[in-house]
Amino acid sequence: AQLLSDSMFMERFFSEARSSLQAAREAAQAGLRRLSISFESSHCNRFLWADFSEFGMDPITLCQKLLNEYKVLVTPGNDSQSPMSTKSTCMMRVCFAACSGLRCLEHGLWQLGRFVAHERGESSLVDATTSVAPASVVFRSAVNSSYALCLMHSHCSNG
């Protein structure tokens, strides 16, 4: 309780949290732009809506493929909260706030780039992104070694 009443600490804490969230949002947006995946912001400001319909997979198949082959954790859900849901059959949430750091987010985006390149038949994209993969991962799941990029299919009730 004493910590919460320390206004200088709380001001500094929230300022740093806002800065970290903004940096993660910008990294996620840049990564999706680089991959030519269309996206929109969400109302809760912790994730981006991204359109994965070009890959022709149902959400469950996409989730399983990304987890099993690329170690990117995704979860399926309901499209109705996405502003783009009427235009797409596979809206996903890129949850940039769920990562433990930018290196983790960048590594997850790099893995996502490998998937995109493979599905589009663009080996040059895989070659180009190979050199920018982070040397270490800040967080990995102990269960299946999946990266902590949280690409969650429209499942959050905070939409």
Side-chain angles (χ1 to χ4, degrees):
Q2 184 179 11
L3 184 62
L4 295 177
S5 64
D6 183 346
S7 61
M8 285 185 60
F9 169 80
M10 295 303 292
E11 189 175 315
R12 189 172 55 250
F13 172 81
F14 284 116
S15 176
E16 289 173 11
R18 280 189 296 272
S19 294
S20 295
L21 189 61
Q22 179 64 30
R25 179 185 310 103
E26 290 171 1
Q29 290 171 334
L32 292 173
R33 280 187 196 107
R34 189 172 50 248
L35 297 173
S36 298
I37 295 177
S38 60
F39 64 90
E40 290 185 17
S41 295
S42 70
H43 297 293
C44 71
N45 213 19
R46 294 183 312 233
F47 60 87
L48 302 170
W49 290 108
D51 183 358
F52 285 81
S53 58
E54 79 169 272
F55 303 109
M57 294 179 214
D58 66 88
I60 298 293
T61 301
L62 178 64
C63 293
Q64 290 173 338
K65 183 174 188 78
L66 284 170
L67 179 60
N68 294 334
E69 296 178 28
Y70 298 92
K71 301 300 182 194
V72 175
L73 179 62
V74 298
T75 58
N78 179 347
D79 287 341
S80 64
Q81 297 168 321
S82 164
M84 296 169 53
S85 66
T86 58
K87 303 174 198 165
S88 173
T89 58
C90 195
M91 293 302 297
M92 304 292 280
R93 293 188 316 167
V94 176
C95 297
F96 52 82
C99 288
S100 58
L102 283 180
R103 289 181 67 86
C104 179
L105 177 65
E106 290 167 358
H107 193 83
L109 288 166
W110 175 75
Q111 288 290 86
L112 182 61
R114 290 182 57 237
F115 160 78
V116 168
H118 180 265
E119 292 300 311
R120 290 178 181 160
E122 299 172 351
S123 61
S124 62
L125 180 59
V126 174
D127 296 339
T129 59
T130 300
S131 62
V132 298
S136 64
V137 177
V138 176
F139 168 80
R140 287 186 20 177
S141 167
V143 176
N144 61 12
S145 295
S146 60
Y147 301 104
L149 170 64
C150 232
L151 291 175
M152 295 169 50
H153 189 270
S154 52
H155 163 100
C156 171
S157 61
N158 296 333

